[in-house]
Amino acid sequence: MNASFTITIDNQSVEATPGESLLEVCRKANIPLPVMCDFKGLSPVGACRLCLVEIEGVPKLLPACTTLVAPNQAVHTQSDKLRKYRRMIIELIFSERNHICAICVANNNCELQKMAYELGMDHVRFPYLTPVCEVDASHEKYVMDHNRCILCTRCVRVCSEIEGAMTRDVMGRGFDARIITEFKQPWGDSTGCTSCGKCVQVCPTGALTPNDAAQGRLKKNPELVALLIEKREAKP
Amino acid sequence: MNLQQLNQISESVQEKHGSCLKRVGVCCGAGCISSGSTAVVDSLKSAVKAKGLEDKVEIFPTGCMGACNQGPLVKVDTFNETIYQKVDAENAVQIIEQHVLQDQVIPSMLLFSDSDPEPKVRADENSFFQKQVKVVLENCGLVNPESIEEAIHAGSYMALHKVLTSMKQEEVIYEIKKSGLRGRGGAGYLTGLKWGIVAKFQNAIKYVVCNGDEGDPGAFMDRSVLEGDPHRVLEGMLIGGYAVGAGKGYLYVRAEYPLAIKRFEQAVKQARSFGFLGKNIFETNFEFDVEIRVGAGAFVCGEETALVASIEGKRGVPRPRPPYPAESGLWGKPTLINNVETFANVPPIILSGHHWFSKIGTSKSTGTKVFALTGKINHTGLIEVPMGTTLREIIFELGGGVPEGKRFKAAQTGGPSGGCIPAQFLDTKVDYENLVSLGSIMGSGGLIVMDESSCMVEVARYFMEFCMDESCGKCVPCRVGTKQMHDLLNKICQGEAASSDLELLEALAPMVKETSLCGLGMTAPNPLLSTLRYFREEYRAHIIEKRCPAGVCKMKTAQNKKKARV
């Protein structure tokens, strides 16, 4: 076991163990950090850029989820610049596809919506791009509405890393990137999907939902997946 | 293979050259091939055959000779290297009959004879060549890139022999460090330092990767080096492999470069059969082999972590650094990734020493840089100049200035990651730091010249479109930010933007720059920011006056709209 050491986060001394990420340390110390793509137990990808922090002596902003702790690190999570950038990022996500809460099944049960409140987003200053995306309702239990997808790839990772089915991936690039099932076939035709529903539970928006959810009535239970991951990692 | 055998090969090539009356090289770089140089080769060969001189006159393909827009180029190559331009299958015969057989120069076909009233018989007397210092392109355009014997005769694999038989690993790294060589892919990281990081990992499997995924619009340096002198790149990789302790190398090259792939593949095969690849190279314990990986057309795969993912067979998307590939690269192993031109600089540094190399260029940016000159310039082509050469020298002396007497407006360096440098900075010495301070970057060496007929807002829009299309889509700032910035620039170009749109752009640009995951997003706003810095007036004209000063952008003004309705 490696000896733990102390780092400073927002002028507060925090204990850290080698190999931990800054995000993990923040979570243990109850220091709030906004995250969209990260999900505890899944491999971090550093894609949403909301958990960017400033580290003294490092010229660029680094994502807390993929940056490992190092002795004598001095981290700042709440500068004016970071707050400004985070707000712009969440606005960019809202501008990208269709995130109109009033007509979404995930209304009031949505991590994206919650994040927008937390970051103080009162309006979106960028033009809405809202491309017309597919809605895949071919699965017997679930629906994938690409119009609500923010490409956090939690579903891709939970499917390969926890369920082991590797049903999902990303296709295309840039603004045209889409989550696909198998080789871009309708979800219902997938022979690899085990219909376990973990992707639905970890999806932070209304992109993946059970097909019987009515507007605003969606119940998701990501904690169940988190618990499952924890149990799998625990040594008997 | 040993030194004696190497010298024997060299001598037999020398003998063959000596028995020739004349040697005629035909540029078979991608540019000249596309303007018909293979037909020229055939025509020259049959003309020689008709005279029964096959043994006396050697016709051979070469790599890029540099003056690309004058192609196909033919070099008559005994003592006074004459280059003929725009040669076709018909007038090629004339070269054989007049110059080769009767030693009569053909003035009307000499290089630059259409613009120069006194075209030079000796090609290197042209201003295009005079200020060039050829280190990387030493053999390019002189040597047949398809023959390993010719490459050996030109000095290839001598540096490898020196390294393997007389230098320790740390001595090689010391030499590269001391030379001051910096990464030619764009970022300019000290090559020796990178080698040192990879070398310090003990008892690990390590890899060497040569990054040939050159993708900037208007850039063709790495392509020309791979096509014109593949053995030099291979030798650089071998020396790198020895220095860092790697046994396997990969060349990552884009599928759009079929000739570079073919020539490098050929070079690898030849090197293997000559014992420069495989086990016991030069009768030592050193073992190394090289594989080629062909990219599938994604610009982002030039970013080193995306490149690693692509070689591993995964989707080519970048991941956050650190850890850098030098610590954890291919399959999690320490991996040395250098650009084609960087590796091509290695053999001459080993042979001539770091003192020689560091005397070329400036104190912080040593050596030379290969540039691809394109755009509104008389002499489009490939050049190599010492670092610290001014833009004015490059564009007006080597490049022959702007055509049709138009006024020079800006030079774009660094492709979609770089910026536009306006006329008032023409006397800036080109090196890594100076270009950054002007809001651009060295980049891989693309240099696009723009004249008064270029609209700088349109230029910014073009490069933003490029970045938007090439963004992998992984991180939000790049995926959505480049799209939003592109749409806003588009609006400005169409005369439909308000001042508030410019404010939005100016808010987005620094955010995308600072928060994007990889270099693509981090540098995507550069063309926008640099044109805003130097050509703000043009943005103003588009937004306020609904007018494009260069007359490039088609404005959707109220009048035009009315016309459209009618």
Side-chain angles (χ1 to χ4, degrees):
Chain A
M1 187 70 191
N2 285 319
S4 61
F5 50 80
T6 310
I7 64 169
T8 13
I9 302 179
D10 297 333
N11 305 319
Q12 178 187 339
S13 292
V14 181
E15 195 190 354
T17 332
E20 274 182 314
S21 75
L22 279 173
L23 182 63
E24 285 168 324
V25 174
C26 283
R27 279 197 179 126
K28 276 199 306 194
N30 285 322
I31 297 168
L33 257 185
V35 291
M36 257 353 274
C37 65
D38 191 79
F39 187 86
K40 204 179 163 210
L42 298 181
S43 61
V45 287
C48 73
R49 315 306 282 173
L50 285 170
C51 72
L52 286 178
V53 293
E54 289 170 351
I55 301 171
E56 284 177 21
V58 178
K60 57 178 186 180
L61 307 174
L62 287 175
C65 60
T66 59
T67 306
L68 299 184
V69 288
N72 303 322
Q73 231 165 15
V75 182
H76 301 279
T77 69
Q78 296 297 333
S79 71
D80 286 348
K81 183 163 88 178
L82 288 173
R83 268 196 288 265
K84 187 175 88 183
Y85 285 171
R86 282 176 190 150
R87 241 199 76 170
M88 283 171 97
I89 290 170
I90 202 85
E91 282 180 51
L92 283 179
I93 297 178
F94 269 85
S95 78
E96 188 184 13
R97 294 190 187 175
N98 185 332
H99 295 290
I100 299 168
C101 302
I103 53 161
C104 179
V105 288
N107 194 6
N108 293 323
N109 197 349
C110 173
E111 286 184 47
L112 180 66
Q113 189 183 35
K114 221 171 114 214
M115 183 62 63
Y117 282 133
E118 272 174 31
L119 297 177
M121 187 190 94
D122 45 17
H123 71 293
V124 174
R125 72 195 103 158
F126 308 111
Y128 289 107
L129 303 168
T130 49
V132 178
C133 302
E134 192 195 352
V135 178
D136 184 352
S138 59
H139 193 273
E140 54 172 1
K141 282 155 84 180
Y142 311 114
V143 182
M144 169 130 208
D145 184 353
H146 290 271
N147 293 292
R148 312 280 195 216
C149 175
I150 61 165
L151 292 168
C152 67
T153 68
R154 283 186 190 180
C155 55
V156 177
R157 285 172 285 151
V158 82
C159 191
S160 69
E161 294 170 18
I162 308 302
E163 179 61 11
M166 299 186 193
T167 312
R168 292 203 189 282
D169 213 327
V170 186
M171 193 186 97
R173 64 189 183 212
F175 186 63
D176 299 322
R178 298 284 183 275
I179 302 289
I180 50 164
T181 309
E182 310 281 7
F183 291 105
K184 197 180 184 275
Q185 61 200 62
W187 193 358
D189 294 352
S190 162
T191 47
C193 174
T194 60
S195 302
C196 73
K198 290 188 188 70
C199 54
V200 177
Q201 299 305 327
V202 298
C203 175
T205 70
L208 285 165
T209 56
N211 60 7
D212 56 358
Q215 188 274 334
R217 295 293 166 82
L218 175 69
K219 288 276 178 291
K220 281 194 186 183
N221 193 359
E223 290 76 21
L224 200 66
V225 181
L227 194 67
L228 180 68
I229 292 170
E230 214 170 283
K231 280 179 177 166
R232 287 197 179 174
E233 281 172 354
K235 302 246 155 51
Chain B
M1 180 65 68
N2 54 36
L3 188 61
Q4 203 190 346
Q5 286 166 311
L6 208 58
N7 286 334
Q8 269 168 9
I9 295 169
S10 193
E11 278 159 25
S12 71
V13 172
Q14 183 65 40
E15 225 167 85
K16 202 180 99 196
H17 287 185
S19 71
C20 278
L21 179 68
K22 286 248 183 341
R23 301 184 66 237
V24 180
V26 182
C27 178
C28 286
C32 279
I33 285 182
S34 63
S35 51
S37 69
T38 32
V40 173
V41 175
D42 293 343
S43 164
L44 285 169
K45 278 191 176 157
S46 58
V48 168
K49 202 174 173 189
K51 306 269 176 204
L53 291 168
E54 287 118 306
D55 300 333
K56 288 280 160 202
V57 180
E58 190 194 347
I59 310 291
F60 63 100
T62 74
C64 182
M65 292 181 187
C68 298
N69 64 339
Q70 309 290 343
L73 300 173
V74 170
K75 190 184 265 177
V76 182
D77 187 17
T78 39
F79 39 89
N80 65 350
E81 287 190 10
T82 305
I83 296 184
Y84 291 110
Q85 67 172 16
K86 296 179 184 163
V87 182
D88 56 32
E90 280 154 37
N91 59 21
V93 182
Q94 219 182 326
I95 295 177
I96 298 295
E97 284 175 350
Q98 280 196 25
H99 192 147
V100 174
L101 294 178
Q102 301 172 35
D103 267 325
Q104 277 176 357
V105 173
I106 313 157
S108 62
M109 284 170 68
L110 285 173
L111 183 61
F112 301 130
S113 54
D114 40 10
S115 55
D116 190 347
E118 288 171 35
K120 313 284 185 290
V121 175
R122 279 186 61 112
D124 55 12
E125 283 172 4
N126 278 300
S127 60
F128 182 76
F129 292 106
Q130 270 185 334
K131 284 209 170 162
Q132 295 201 42
V133 173
K134 299 215 172 186
V135 175
V136 171
L137 302 178
E138 198 179 9
N139 297 338
C140 200
L142 285 174
V143 173
N144 180 354
E146 296 180 356
S147 155
I148 191 170
E149 289 92 350
E150 294 281 347
I152 291 170
H153 175 250
S156 285
Y157 300 106
M158 285 304 282
L160 179 67
H161 177 266
K162 181 178 174 185
V163 160
L164 292 184
T165 52
S166 69
M167 287 172 90
K168 288 189 191 134
Q169 287 171 296
E170 50 272 28
E171 286 171 335
V172 179
I173 294 173
Y174 175 83
E175 202 66 32
I176 300 296
K177 251 186 210 166
K178 274 287 185 184
S179 74
L181 175 66
R182 294 169 70 172
R184 299 295 195 243
Y189 191 78
L190 275 167
T191 306
L193 221 54
K194 203 189 245 182
W195 288 29
I197 295 169
V198 182
K200 78 169 190 238
F201 292 94
Q202 300 291 321
N203 306 320
I205 297 172
K206 298 176 199 174
Y207 297 99
V208 169
V209 174
C210 177
N211 185 348
D213 196 50
E214 177 178 64
D216 290 359
F220 46 88
M221 300 76 53
D222 295 347
R223 166 188 214 156
S224 304
V225 174
L226 284 171
E227 287 173 359
D229 198 1
H231 287 286
R232 172 179 297 252
V233 181
L234 190 56
E235 190 183 6
M237 288 176 72
L238 275 153
I239 295 169
Y242 171 75
V244 303
K248 174 101 201 214
Y250 289 91
L251 168 76
Y252 189 87
V253 58
R254 58 198 300 230
E256 291 89 336
Y257 286 178
L259 185 64
I261 297 168
K262 186 188 132 201
R263 295 236 170 104
F264 195 83
E265 251 169 12
Q266 216 168 10
V268 167
K269 262 188 211 148
Q270 291 167 342
R272 226 176 255 148
S273 69
F274 274 63
F276 300 132
L277 287 173
K279 288 182 178 166
N280 303 107
I281 302 169
F282 279 119
E283 296 165 1
T284 65
N285 290 329
F286 181 57
E287 186 181 333
F288 196 82
D289 211 341
V290 168
E291 229 180 87
I292 301 177
R293 288 292 163 102
V294 178
F299 178 69
V300 75
C301 286
E303 197 280 341
E304 54 180 15
T305 58
L307 186 148
V308 163
S310 179
I311 292 181
E312 289 174 352
K314 297 177 188 151
R315 182 174 153 86
V317 289
R319 59 153 179 81
R321 300 178 305 175
Y324 288 87
E327 300 159 25
S328 169
L330 271 179
W331 297 286
K333 309 289 184 208
T335 304
L336 173 70
I337 305 180
N338 277 142
N339 166 267
V340 169
E341 196 184 328
T342 314
F343 278 124
N345 267 301
V346 169
I349 292 175
I350 296 295
L351 283 179
S352 307
H354 64 83
H355 286 292
W356 162 78
F357 189 80
S358 56
K359 274 195 197 106
I360 310 171
T362 63
S363 59
K364 275 191 165 177
S365 304
T366 57
T368 59
K369 181 77 196 81
V370 181
F371 286 101
L373 291 182
T374 54
K376 305 287 177 61
I377 189 158
N378 276 318
H379 303 157
T380 302
L382 189 74
I383 58 158
E384 182 173 3
V385 288
M387 294 274 190
T389 308
T390 65
L391 276 173
R392 190 184 297 282
E393 287 171 295
I394 294 176
I395 295 165
F396 289 93
E397 291 182 33
L398 280 78
V402 180
E404 295 164 30
K406 287 203 173 130
R407 193 170 48 87
F408 168 84
K409 191 170 194 175
Q412 212 277 348
T413 68
S417 314
C420 296
I421 301 165
Q424 68 257 42
F425 298 110
L426 269 175
D427 291 310
T428 308
K429 294 187 164 176
V430 174
D431 67 14
Y432 289 97
E433 278 74 23
N434 282 347
L435 289 185
V436 169
S437 72
L438 292 178
S440 187
I441 60 166
M442 175 77 79
S444 55
L447 205 156
I448 305 168
V449 179
M450 294 161 201
D451 68 12
E452 53 192 314
S453 67
S454 312
C455 168
M456 302 317 279
V457 187
E458 165 57 25
V459 168
R461 190 207 62 79
Y462 168 79
F463 281 112
M464 193 60 77
E465 183 180 13
F466 182 87
C467 291
M468 173 184 80
D469 286 343
E470 294 297 340
S471 165
C472 76
K474 181 171 178 177
C475 76
V476 178
C478 180
R479 182 180 74 231
V480 197
T482 54
K483 167 82 179 156
Q484 289 284 10
M485 287 194 285
H486 168 264
D487 289 2
L488 288 165
L489 283 165
N490 217 14
K491 227 169 136 187
I492 297 178
C493 286
Q494 294 179 341
E496 292 185 313
S499 302
S500 58
D501 291 317
L502 190 59
E503 281 166 30
L504 265 188
L505 264 179
E506 290 192 288
L508 268 170
M511 190 278 282
V512 173
K513 202 174 165 133
E514 282 200 77
T515 62
S516 288
L517 193 155
C518 81
L520 196 158
M522 283 180 199
T523 56
N526 281 356
L528 163 68
L529 287 169
S530 75
T531 49
L532 262 176
R533 184 166 156 188
Y534 300 120
F535 302 96
R536 205 181 181 86
E537 197 47 38
E538 288 192 28
Y539 281 85
R540 212 192 60 87
H542 281 80
I543 295 167
I544 311 287
E545 299 163 28
K546 310 289 176 206
R547 176 179 70 85
C548 175
V552 175
C553 301
K554 296 247 178 329
M555 296 283 162
K556 283 190 190 163
T557 55
Q559 264 179 340
N560 286 352
K561 270 183 198 162
K562 239 181 243 167
K563 266 184 216 157
R565 240 175 267 148
V566 173

